[in-house]
Amino acid sequence: MALRNLVQALNLALRQEMEKDDRIVLLGEDIGRQGGVFRVTEGLLDRFGPMRVLDTPVSEAGIVGTSIGLALAGLRPVAEIQFSGFMFNALHQLGLLAARFRSRSRGTFQVPMVVRSPWGGGVRALELHNESEEAVYAQLPGLKVVIPSRPRRARALLVASIRDPDPVVFLEPKRVYRSIREEVPDEEEIFPIGEAEIVRSGRHLTLITYGSMLQDCLQAAEQAERLHQISVEVIDLLTVVPMDTATIVRSVQKTGRCVVVHEAPRSCGIGAEIIARINEQCLFHLQAPVARVTGYDIPYPFFAREQSYLPNVARILDAIRRTLES
Amino acid sequence: MALRNLVQALNLALRQEMEKDDRIVLLGEDIGRQGGVFRVTEGLLDRFGPMRVLDTPVSEAGIVGTSIGLALAGLRPVAEIQFSGFMFNALHQLGLLAARFRSRSRGTFQVPMVVRSPWGGGVRALELHNESEEAVYAQLPGLKVVIPSRPRRARALLVASIRDPDPVVFLEPKRVYRSIREEVPDEEEIFPIGEAEIVRSGRHLTLITYGSMLQDCLQAAEQAERLHQISVEVIDLLTVVPMDTATIVRSVQKTGRCVVVHEAPRSCGIGAEIIARINEQCLFHLQAPVARVTGYDIPYPFFAREQSYLPNVARILDAIRRTLES
Amino acid sequence: MPRKQVAQFTVEYLQILDENGVADRALEPSLPPATLLQVHRMMVLARLLDRRMTILQQQGRLGTFPSVLGQEAASLGCVLALRPDDWIVPCYRENSALLYRGLPIKNILLFWMGAEEGCVYSPELRILPIPILIGSQTIHAVGLALAAKIHQRDEVSMVFFGDGATSEGDFHEACNLAGVYQAPVIFVCINNQYAISVPRSQQSRSETLAQKAIAYGFSGIVVDGNDVLACYVAAREAVERARRGQGPTLIECLTYRLGPHTSADDPRRYREEAERQVWEARDPIKRWQAYLERQGLWTADQQAELERELQAEIDQAVRLAEAELAQLDPLDMFDYVYAETPPDLLAQKREAAEYVRPDASVSTPARRS
Amino acid sequence: MPRKQVAQFTVEYLQILDENGVADRALEPSLPPATLLQVHRMMVLARLLDRRMTILQQQGRLGTFPSVLGQEAASLGCVLALRPDDWIVPCYRENSALLYRGLPIKNILLFWMGAEEGCVYSPELRILPIPILIGSQTIHAVGLALAAKIHQRDEVSMVFFGDGATSEGDFHEACNLAGVYQAPVIFVCINNQYAISVPRSQQSRSETLAQKAIAYGFSGIVVDGNDVLACYVAAREAVERARRGQGPTLIECLTYRLGPHTSADDPRRYREEAERQVWEARDPIKRWQAYLERQGLWTADQQAELERELQAEIDQAVRLAEAELAQLDPLDMFDYVYAETPPDLLAQKREAAEYVRPDASVSTPARRS
Ligand SMILES: Cc1ncc(C[n+]2csc(CCOP(=O)(O)OP(=O)(O)O)c2C)c(N)n1
Ligand SMILES: Cc1ncc(C[n+]2csc(CCOP(=O)(O)OP(=O)(O)O)c2C)c(N)n1
Ligand SMILES: [Mg+2]
Ligand SMILES: [Mg+2]
């Protein structure tokens, strides 16, 4: 198996799927000649030509709306929105239209499409290049939302997303693009949408996260064990919509304590939903309030202040300890 | 005091504020000659003329973006989006730009504006004319979100929203527009943004809601009392962002039981956030899981099915009883 | 070379059938009599259906709906230029064109009766379901057309939208992308002079809507939208260009909404009766009937007979639609959100099952317009 | 009247100063020498600042930033036509124009150093802060202009955006609204031939970007964007029309981005060095200097002296900016979200206080372009 970073793993998934299925078409800003601003589509224009890899004008609603039309015509569009904050320019097309063709036509019309986008902060990028808008999609039923945290699963989930018969928003933690390398097999690998993964098992507390925060959570868990003899179970959601409630509940029933971590603002975030489901399904197993370590309810600051905005190992570790003490 | 329905109460607020403050300008689709599709702006074009009441082209991003510019120039725009589902066409302007001028400029630039919009379902309207997208704004810090439930408070809150120095999304439950009449004084009345109201006090359970669901909640509370001797305290949030956590927590600490009700989809909705805050601040006062009676995680159906989608008295009453039994 | 002209553009206007149904011989296309008669049949059907829906709406058997009265010619005339394998992307007033393509009356009724069943079209119709979000469908049409280009098939897609829709960003992005990729799409703007209460003159400062095509590097033309022949000829030229790989065209059809915006609207608030009368004189169906009679293809008796026949078709469709509505299972709204319903959603469905409400009762909507 | 022409449009091109700095006498405006020299000073300052920022970025003292190299003339030339009470709504490459209006160098540095402090402008500058969302600022400019109209003041607003921005729906809605309300706004498109890697030819099929104005019923003109005089004259005409209540104008300034899109971009991936050289020959500053020298207003010695002077100004601004950056309190990010911070947000601020992290360290961004 070859060591690959996230960018290479995603590129592999796109290349191999495009080779297997010529209905797959890529479109987005600067994804052709440029290979994408993060190089995820590098080399695909040369390999598959301008009819399958389309550089688009600066036109997010156009990219998403065109993808809907391509999908309705039987193709399998994989669109790139250059940064996930720009999804808001296309949210009517994505959340009100792509998401509803199936339901409004009782399955007669289907929109199998993927919208990929670099997501989240932590790379000293410009304003509006650091958004974590995943919870917004949870209020727009008909969409699925996948947020991988590491190269191997990311590749397997992108394959699943491309083959999914419904619109999938695939958010790529840009902070992870080049920071982690993993064994990613050349052979096809697919990981089901909707399944969370227990990436570290533990007895005292359940730590739930997704995306770039997984690394901080794993470090915090390791330190909790080493410095405080706290055994932490870490769950990587991988898919945030629909959520794998069963895995969450089983773990919390076992540990009785839970901390949720995400970069997005706190209010009405994925963390709130996790807490609501724990409340509904295993409230009386809780020995302490579920703690939220999240971005604050303020706009993501310009990068000189971002490290004070983002959750980090210290914040997560403290939350773990407080949750155990209470 | 005169009896007024919601439409008349809002019209009163607009008219009186415009008379007091000539910086106030209204803009939106069909708000002039037509007086708005629900007649909220009826008569204002005649009264204040075409320079203060602007009929716009079909251009939601344009309406919100122009309002930003008007506000930056020192005016007080009150925009109407014809139905709140169409806010998604302007969400980049509203949620990424209007919401951030203050923070990105450390208060140098301010955007005092109101975006009003008919909101929610239950009136057999067309597809996409029934959305409840309030939780989406909670993930877009910098916005305030007000959702009145009855004429008198609606009028007083609209006055507060117009005078607020920050962008306010003012959502009007269209189901209530003509269904309730209340004494609404001619004299100026103002109700602060950010304060919830206990509209019925009770001992056994706290029922939290906002907007059109208040009526169903009050009926359910009344029946619970009459048929099952359950004393229900009803909280009308009125402002959903920022939320009046203190009032919620105080009530739940007293009753130990809680049901939250809203039309919007369940996942990551306002209800989830309420549960998360209860979990954080008074978990051990809970004698039962907080129940959510909400719209389901599916697109709002065409109107032939909407009554099976919307929460109603029966669903709320059952949730109250189950919560008391467990 | 200090100050020089670098580009020049013109916009044309086309009318073939005058208001008395007399055709300009030089421009008149030769369509088979059967087609001419079928066009008539479908325009009349659309008009009768409109009347029926108005009554059904007043009886509370149908929700708010947009009248097509006076606009029966434009989209139908354009669709005449299409092959069955070309895509039609309608707006919500394309009844005559959709019926011509073969959409059952029942679908139109069910849609405005508030049932998703109205959007269940058989795939070979190549029609997208009626959109609600103004302007949004124009981009979908570009995607359909681009797919044909990618497949190297010579299908085109034809999309309909109103004068108001041209103000939306979606329309702009659709036209720009279509131009860039030279996608085989025909943009048909049904300019009925109003967007609800806002007159055309306040929708855009441009002298014509057709000239908006200049912004995207393709051509636009204005046609008499109450003249089936002009719409057909303009569309035929556009379709031929598109099939030859010469890209999109924008056609502006000048017509008028004789009725209210929807059954909930009162046009007296924003327009003069006199204006309406001017346009009533240009009624596309009267005009077409005169054209047919002049050629000896049609008589008053045939008209009476036709209307009886179509009324019966409509009666039958209403019966079918209402029967289907009565059968409808509210709970299955959970079954079509995703190809496979996730476990938590199945749980919500079970929860909902306890409270199913058949929506027989029709409350009058608070909405006014 | 079967088939007739109903509208005709033309687009003009304007150049006054040729590539050797020779002005067309017939068109040359008479600007006071002091202004000509100030223009030169600001263009040179913008260029030196660009160089300095490149170095700071390489040293990790500044984040990703967009180079203005080669584009110093266009926005400055247009802004010459404004009064101090007219609004400037910039994009992110308007350094020369903003410096001319009086924006401190420090603000530009702080913005690209990742500090909101960079957007703290004194109100009398009448400049909106640099936007990030492409095309979005065009609508804000319409609002500013409309406010002037409502106040019955004769101020105008001038908004800058790129060739890529013309593809966004926001640009369309802005132009359409400006046309409808005849708002006094001047739309200035800085066509530098690329939107990151996408060449102008693939951004839109239209022959010129100026002709997009036709879609909105106002006029558009193409100018040599490396010619300060042409930009000034075109802007002056547009501003006069706007003040007279004759509405908006679209000015397309033809120029070229000689540098990368941003410090993270590598243009070799998408364009030929040869193309760049063609444009280097058209360098706006060289051209302007020649123009000044020809009039005996400038010498090589003065140039050397000026550059020393400006370097010192920049040194000073860098010191100020970095001092402010060092002082910056991350926690105050909570204080400017709302005029009055709600209680729950104050609680979050207290929570955050325990973890404040001064961001001295500069990690190289994963982002490439
Ligand atoms: C995005 C969006 N904005 C607003 C509306 C509300 N609305 C419905 S029809 C209409 C007018 C559309 O006018 P036009 O495009 O001319 O079509 P017409 O109704 O005249 O056929 C408006 C504003 C909508 N449905 N979608
Ligand atoms: C809405 C939006 N989409 C995409 C981007 C990413 N982006 C930043 S600059 C740019 C190219 C803009 O090109 P142009 O308008 O020509 O301006 P230039 O950079 O050439 O000056 C893009 C696509 C963005 N910032 N905002
Ligand atoms: Mg219209
Ligand atoms: Mg450019």
Side-chain angles (χ1 to χ4, degrees):
Chain A
M1 289 210 282
L3 272 180
R4 291 186 165 96
N5 65 25
L6 182 57
V7 169
Q8 296 162 328
L10 295 169
N11 184 271
L12 177 71
L14 291 171
R15 177 183 298 270
Q16 290 185 333
E17 284 300 291
M18 289 180 81
E19 274 159 3
K20 292 197 192 97
D21 183 349
D22 61 15
R23 295 171 306 168
I24 298 170
V25 176
L26 311 188
L27 64 163
E29 295 157 15
D30 306 290
I31 66 163
R33 264 189 229 71
Q34 180 86 319
V37 293
F38 290 102
R39 306 289 181 261
V40 172
T41 55
E42 178 125 54
L44 299 179
L45 173 62
D46 295 342
R47 172 70 182 77
F48 298 102
M51 276 308 201
R52 293 189 63 194
V53 180
L54 288 84
D55 266 322
T56 67
V58 188
S59 182
E60 290 74 21
I63 291 165
V64 174
T66 299
S67 299
I68 291 172
L70 291 169
L72 289 168
L75 292 174
R76 292 282 184 147
V78 179
E80 174 175 309
I81 295 297
Q82 202 161 74
F83 287 85
S84 74
F86 312 149
M87 293 271 200
F88 286 99
N89 289 56
L91 206 53
H92 57 296
Q93 285 286 346
L94 183 61
L96 298 183
L97 303 174
R100 296 187 185 195
F101 264 89
R102 178 186 295 280
S103 55
R104 77 191 301 259
S105 71
R106 300 174 61 79
T108 311
F109 294 90
Q110 310 189 2
V111 180
M113 62 185 263
V114 178
V115 183
R116 294 179 38 246
S117 197
W119 163 90
V123 301
R124 298 178 62 84
L126 284 172
E127 184 200 21
L128 298 178
H129 290 58
N130 307 287
E131 308 308 303
S132 298
E133 78 292 358
E134 61 275 14
V136 168
Y137 305 119
Q139 283 282 297
L140 294 164
L143 299 175
K144 296 179 180 178
V145 184
V146 174
I147 310 180
S149 54
R150 298 186 291 196
R152 183 169 184 168
R153 289 285 178 260
R155 181 276 190 102
L157 278 160
L158 183 52
V159 172
S161 302
I162 291 171
R163 297 183 188 180
D164 195 273
D166 289 301
V168 178
V169 180
F170 190 90
L171 301 172
E172 304 166 359
K174 60 178 78 77
R175 205 203 312 200
V176 177
Y177 270 140
R178 294 188 152 70
S179 64
I180 309 173
R181 308 176 121 260
E182 253 186 350
E183 296 284 350
V184 178
D186 297 334
E187 311 67 56
E188 171 172 315
E189 209 172 51
I190 181 159
F191 190 89
I193 292 176
E195 277 189 24
E197 192 173 20
I198 296 174
V199 292
R200 187 181 201 280
S201 62
R203 303 182 317 284
H204 302 136
L205 179 141
T206 304
L207 186 58
I208 305 173
T209 192
Y210 52 91
S212 39
M213 279 297 139
L214 179 66
Q215 296 310 311
D216 301 67
C217 286
L218 287 172
Q219 278 185 50
E222 187 273 324
Q223 290 184 26
E225 182 93 60
R226 189 158 42 76
L227 308 174
H228 312 287
Q229 298 74 47
I230 303 172
S231 160
V232 178
E233 180 148 295
V234 180
I235 294 178
D236 183 357
L237 284 180
L238 294 174
T239 301
V240 299
V241 181
M243 205 183 281
D244 183 353
T245 316
T247 298
I248 294 170
V249 170
R250 240 182 280 107
S251 177
V252 173
Q253 284 174 334
K254 179 178 70 177
T255 62
R257 289 182 161 85
C258 182
V259 173
V260 296
V261 182
H262 56 67
E263 286 184 33
R266 183 167 302 170
S267 293
C268 295
I270 297 296
E273 182 57 29
I274 291 170
I275 293 172
R277 294 184 185 200
I278 289 171
N279 153 88
E280 283 157 355
Q281 301 191 28
C282 55
L283 177 68
F284 295 120
H285 289 79
L286 281 185
Q287 293 161 45
V290 179
R292 288 190 284 183
V293 181
T294 68
Y296 303 109
D297 289 319
I298 64 176
Y300 194 99
F302 288 14
F303 66 77
R305 289 175 168 89
E306 73 179 332
Q307 290 306 326
S308 299
Y309 173 87
L310 287 169
N312 54 42
V313 175
R315 280 174 65 186
I316 298 166
L317 190 56
D318 284 1
I320 291 171
R321 297 182 57 193
R322 287 212 197 87
T323 305
L324 255 105
E325 283 152 11
S326 74
Chain B
M1 290 210 283
L3 273 179
R4 291 187 165 96
N5 65 25
L6 181 57
V7 170
Q8 296 162 329
L10 295 169
N11 184 271
L12 178 71
L14 292 171
R15 178 182 298 268
Q16 291 184 333
E17 284 301 291
M18 289 180 81
E19 274 159 2
K20 294 197 191 96
D21 183 349
D22 62 15
R23 296 171 307 168
I24 297 170
V25 176
L26 312 188
L27 64 162
E29 295 157 16
D30 307 290
I31 66 163
R33 266 189 227 72
Q34 180 84 321
V37 294
F38 290 102
R39 306 287 180 261
V40 172
T41 55
E42 178 125 54
L44 300 179
L45 173 63
D46 295 342
R47 171 70 183 75
F48 298 102
M51 276 309 200
R52 294 189 63 196
V53 180
L54 288 85
D55 266 322
T56 67
V58 188
S59 180
E60 289 74 22
I63 291 165
V64 174
T66 300
S67 299
I68 291 172
L70 291 168
L72 289 168
L75 292 174
R76 292 283 183 145
V78 179
E80 173 175 311
I81 295 297
Q82 201 161 74
F83 287 85
S84 74
F86 313 148
M87 293 269 199
F88 286 100
N89 288 57
L91 205 54
H92 57 297
Q93 285 286 346
L94 182 61
L96 299 183
L97 303 174
R100 298 187 184 194
F101 263 88
R102 179 186 294 279
S103 55
R104 76 191 301 259
S105 70
R106 301 174 60 78
T108 312
F109 294 90
Q110 311 188 1
V111 181
M113 63 186 260
V114 177
V115 184
R116 294 177 38 246
S117 196
W119 162 91
V123 301
R124 299 178 62 83
L126 284 171
E127 184 200 21
L128 298 178
H129 289 57
N130 307 287
E131 307 309 301
S132 299
E133 77 292 358
E134 61 275 14
V136 168
Y137 306 119
Q139 283 282 297
L140 294 163
L143 299 176
K144 295 178 179 179
V145 184
V146 174
I147 310 181
S149 53
R150 296 185 291 196
R152 184 168 184 169
R153 287 286 177 260
R155 181 276 191 102
L157 278 161
L158 183 51
V159 172
S161 301
I162 291 171
R163 298 183 188 181
D164 197 273
D166 289 301
V168 177
V169 179
F170 191 90
L171 301 172
E172 306 167 358
K174 61 177 79 76
R175 206 205 312 201
V176 177
Y177 270 139
R178 295 189 151 69
S179 64
I180 309 173
R181 307 175 122 261
E182 253 187 349
E183 296 283 348
V184 178
D186 297 334
E187 311 67 56
E188 171 172 316
E189 209 173 50
I190 181 160
F191 190 89
I193 292 176
E195 278 189 24
E197 192 173 20
I198 296 174
V199 293
R200 187 182 200 280
S201 63
R203 302 182 318 283
H204 302 136
L205 180 139
T206 304
L207 186 57
I208 305 173
T209 192
Y210 53 90
S212 40
M213 279 298 139
L214 179 66
Q215 295 311 312
D216 301 67
C217 286
L218 287 172
Q219 278 184 51
E222 188 273 324
Q223 291 183 24
E225 182 93 61
R226 190 160 40 77
L227 308 175
H228 312 287
Q229 297 73 44
I230 303 171
S231 160
V232 178
E233 180 148 295
V234 180
I235 296 178
D236 183 357
L237 284 181
L238 295 174
T239 301
V240 300
V241 180
M243 204 184 280
D244 182 353
T245 315
T247 299
I248 294 170
V249 169
R250 242 182 280 108
S251 177
V252 174
Q253 284 173 333
K254 179 178 72 176
T255 62
R257 290 183 160 85
C258 181
V259 173
V260 295
V261 182
H262 56 66
E263 285 185 34
R266 183 167 302 170
S267 292
C268 296
I270 297 296
E273 182 57 28
I274 291 170
I275 293 172
R277 293 183 185 202
I278 290 171
N279 152 87
E280 283 157 355
Q281 301 191 29
C282 55
L283 176 68
F284 295 120
H285 289 79
L286 281 184
Q287 294 162 45
V290 179
R292 288 190 284 183
V293 181
T294 68
Y296 304 107
D297 289 319
I298 64 176
Y300 194 98
F302 288 15
F303 67 77
R305 288 176 169 88
E306 74 179 332
Q307 290 306 327
S308 300
Y309 174 87
L310 288 169
N312 53 42
V313 175
R315 280 174 65 187
I316 299 165
L317 190 57
D318 285 359
I320 291 171
R321 297 182 57 193
R322 286 210 199 87
T323 304
L324 255 108
E325 284 152 12
S326 75
Chain C
M1 51 94 183
R3 188 161 194 146
K4 60 170 187 185
Q5 184 178 305
V6 285
Q8 193 190 18
F9 309 95
T10 60
V11 177
E12 279 191 338
Y13 173 85
L14 178 66
Q15 182 195 51
I16 295 178
L17 211 54
D18 71 15
E19 305 193 0
N20 309 316
V22 180
D24 180 308
R25 288 263 159 275
L27 297 167
E28 184 181 17
S30 64
L31 285 162
T35 305
L36 302 183
L37 292 171
Q38 182 63 2
V39 165
H40 184 58
R41 185 184 183 92
M42 290 303 138
M43 289 202 290
V44 174
L45 176 55
R47 182 159 296 187
L48 295 177
L49 180 58
D50 222 76
R51 283 206 203 115
R52 180 66 60 90
M53 288 205 286
T54 306
I55 295 163
L56 292 172
Q57 196 277 336
Q58 287 157 354
Q59 297 171 332
R61 293 158 69 187
L62 191 119
T64 306
F65 82 97
S67 161
V68 188
L69 189 66
Q71 300 183 206
E72 296 89 351
S75 31
L76 175 48
C78 292
V79 160
L80 276 185
L82 296 181
R83 290 192 321 226
D85 60 340
D86 294 323
W87 280 99
I88 298 177
V89 182
C91 194
Y92 44 73
R93 297 190 207 270
E94 270 53 73
N95 293 351
S96 59
L98 300 185
L99 293 164
Y100 180 85
R101 173 60 73 95
L103 186 71
I105 301 169
K106 189 190 77 175
N107 283 80
I108 296 172
L109 289 167
L110 280 168
F111 185 82
W112 302 111
M113 287 175 172
E116 286 82 357
E117 281 77 354
C119 294
V120 177
Y121 300 173
S122 71
E124 68 276 11
L125 281 177
R126 311 277 274 179
I127 304 172
L128 288 196
I130 294 170
I132 295 299
L133 209 67
I134 296 298
S136 62
Q137 73 277 20
T138 56
I139 313 185
H140 307 158
V142 174
L144 292 170
L146 193 55
K149 186 163 180 152
I150 290 168
H151 285 132
Q152 296 179 316
R153 290 199 300 254
D154 72 349
E155 305 149 5
V156 307
S157 80
M158 183 179 280
V159 60
F160 297 90
F161 52 92
D163 43 305
T166 62
S167 299
E168 287 283 4
D170 280 7
F171 165 74
H172 173 71
E173 300 194 27
C175 291
N176 191 55
L177 287 164
V180 166
Y181 299 121
Q182 289 293 285
V185 52
I186 293 90
F187 294 97
V188 182
C189 179
I190 305 296
N191 174 2
N192 63 1
Q193 311 305 329
Y194 286 90
I196 305 186
S197 71
V198 176
R200 159 64 183 88
S201 58
Q202 284 178 45
Q203 196 61 233
S204 177
R205 179 85 175 183
S206 63
E207 300 83 341
T208 69
L209 297 175
Q211 76 200 54
K212 291 179 183 288
I214 295 166
Y216 314 105
F218 53 85
S219 68
I221 181 170
V222 185
V223 304
D224 179 340
N226 288 2
D227 169 359
V228 172
L229 296 181
C231 295
Y232 165 68
V233 168
R236 192 182 55 190
E237 290 173 5
V239 167
E240 281 163 5
R241 270 199 303 278
R243 288 204 208 285
R244 281 200 305 269
Q246 291 165 359
T249 304
L250 171 58
I251 300 174
E252 174 185 5
C253 303
L254 295 178
T255 182
Y256 191 82
R257 163 165 60 75
L258 290 172
H261 169 69
T262 65
S263 47
D265 176 45
D266 174 9
R268 284 166 309 181
R269 298 184 139 258
Y270 53 82
R271 70 187 190 189
E272 297 300 327
E273 176 57 20
E275 181 187 86
R276 188 183 179 288
Q277 279 158 10
V278 172
W279 281 91
E280 206 150 17
R282 304 176 182 154
D283 185 322
I285 297 184
K286 280 208 216 81
R287 193 189 297 195
W288 190 252
Q289 202 170 327
Y291 176 62
L292 295 182
E293 286 168 0
R294 203 167 263 96
Q295 298 172 74
L297 286 171
W298 199 247
T299 66
D301 302 355
Q302 284 173 297
Q303 183 68 20
E305 173 54 28
L306 173 66
E307 297 194 6
R308 266 193 302 282
E309 214 178 297
L310 295 176
Q311 290 292 9
E313 273 186 40
I314 294 172
D315 294 338
Q316 172 61 1
V318 171
R319 273 192 297 276
L320 288 173
E322 292 193 325
E324 198 164 333
L325 207 58
Q327 295 302 318
L328 147 171
D329 170 13
L331 259 193
D332 64 17
M333 62 187 169
F334 286 90
D335 304 345
Y336 301 100
V337 182
Y338 300 99
E340 201 180 315
T341 308
D344 291 340
L345 203 47
L346 288 173
Q348 290 187 15
K349 182 180 180 180
R350 285 190 295 275
E351 178 189 332
E354 305 173 35
Y355 304 98
V356 176
R357 286 255 223 110
D359 282 33
S361 76
V362 176
S363 61
T364 20
R367 183 185 183 192
R368 276 294 188 73
S369 184
Chain D
M1 50 96 185
R3 188 160 195 148
K4 60 168 189 187
Q5 185 179 305
V6 285
Q8 192 189 25
F9 309 94
T10 61
V11 177
E12 280 191 337
Y13 173 85
L14 177 65
Q15 183 196 48
I16 296 177
L17 211 54
D18 73 12
E19 305 195 359
N20 309 316
V22 180
D24 180 310
R25 288 265 159 271
L27 298 166
E28 186 180 17
S30 64
L31 286 162
T35 305
L36 302 182
L37 292 171
Q38 181 65 2
V39 165
H40 184 57
R41 186 184 183 91
M42 290 305 140
M43 290 201 291
V44 174
L45 175 56
R47 181 159 298 187
L48 295 178
L49 180 58
D50 222 75
R51 284 209 201 114
R52 180 66 60 90
M53 290 206 286
T54 306
I55 294 162
L56 292 171
Q57 197 277 336
Q58 286 157 356
Q59 297 170 332
R61 294 159 67 187
L62 190 119
T64 306
F65 82 98
S67 160
V68 188
L69 189 67
Q71 301 183 204
E72 296 88 350
S75 31
L76 176 48
C78 293
V79 160
L80 276 185
L82 296 180
R83 290 191 321 225
D85 60 340
D86 293 323
W87 281 98
I88 299 178
V89 182
C91 193
Y92 43 73
R93 298 191 206 268
E94 270 56 71
N95 293 353
S96 60
L98 300 185
L99 293 165
Y100 180 85
R101 173 59 75 95
L103 186 71
I105 301 169
K106 190 189 77 174
N107 284 80
I108 296 171
L109 290 167
L110 281 167
F111 184 82
W112 302 111
M113 287 174 171
E116 286 83 357
E117 282 77 355
C119 293
V120 177
Y121 299 174
S122 73
E124 68 276 10
L125 281 177
R126 311 277 273 177
I127 303 172
L128 288 196
I130 294 170
I132 295 300
L133 209 66
I134 295 299
S136 62
Q137 73 278 20
T138 56
I139 314 186
H140 307 158
V142 174
L144 292 170
L146 193 55
K149 187 163 179 152
I150 290 168
H151 285 131
Q152 295 179 316
R153 290 201 299 256
D154 71 348
E155 304 150 5
V156 307
S157 80
M158 182 180 280
V159 59
F160 297 90
F161 52 91
D163 43 303
T166 63
S167 300
E168 287 283 2
D170 280 8
F171 164 75
H172 173 71
E173 300 195 25
C175 291
N176 191 55
L177 288 164
V180 166
Y181 299 120
Q182 290 292 286
V185 52
I186 294 89
F187 294 98
V188 182
C189 179
I190 306 295
N191 175 2
N192 63 1
Q193 311 306 329
Y194 286 89
I196 306 186
S197 71
V198 176
R200 159 63 184 88
S201 59
Q202 284 177 45
Q203 196 61 232
S204 178
R205 179 83 176 185
S206 63
E207 299 83 342
T208 68
L209 296 175
Q211 76 201 53
K212 292 179 184 287
I214 296 166
Y216 314 105
F218 53 85
S219 68
I221 181 171
V222 184
V223 304
D224 179 339
N226 288 1
D227 168 0
V228 172
L229 297 181
C231 295
Y232 165 67
V233 168
R236 193 182 54 190
E237 291 173 3
V239 167
E240 281 163 5
R241 269 198 303 277
R243 287 203 208 287
R244 280 199 305 270
Q246 291 165 358
T249 305
L250 172 57
I251 300 174
E252 174 184 6
C253 303
L254 295 178
T255 181
Y256 191 82
R257 164 166 58 75
L258 289 172
H261 169 68
T262 66
S263 47
D265 176 45
D266 174 9
R268 284 167 309 181
R269 296 183 141 261
Y270 54 81
R271 69 187 190 189
E272 296 301 326
E273 177 57 21
E275 181 187 86
R276 187 183 179 288
Q277 280 158 9
V278 173
W279 281 91
E280 206 151 18
R282 303 175 184 157
D283 185 320
I285 298 184
K286 280 209 217 81
R287 195 190 297 195
W288 189 254
Q289 202 170 326
Y291 176 61
L292 296 182
E293 287 168 357
R294 201 168 266 97
Q295 298 173 72
L297 287 171
W298 200 248
T299 67
D301 301 357
Q302 285 172 295
Q303 182 69 19
E305 172 55 28
L306 173 67
E307 297 193 6
R308 268 193 301 283
E309 215 177 298
L310 295 175
Q311 291 292 9
E313 274 187 39
I314 294 173
D315 293 339
Q316 173 63 1
V318 171
R319 274 192 297 277
L320 288 172
E322 290 192 326
E324 199 164 332
L325 206 57
Q327 295 302 318
L328 146 171
D329 171 12
L331 258 193
D332 64 18
M333 63 188 170
F334 286 89
D335 305 344
Y336 300 100
V337 182
Y338 300 100
E340 200 181 315
T341 308
D344 290 341
L345 204 47
L346 287 173
Q348 289 188 16
K349 183 180 180 181
R350 285 190 295 275
E351 177 188 333
E354 304 172 36
Y355 304 98
V356 176
R357 287 256 222 109
D359 282 35
S361 76
V362 177
S363 61
T364 20
R367 184 187 182 190
R368 277 296 188 75
S369 184

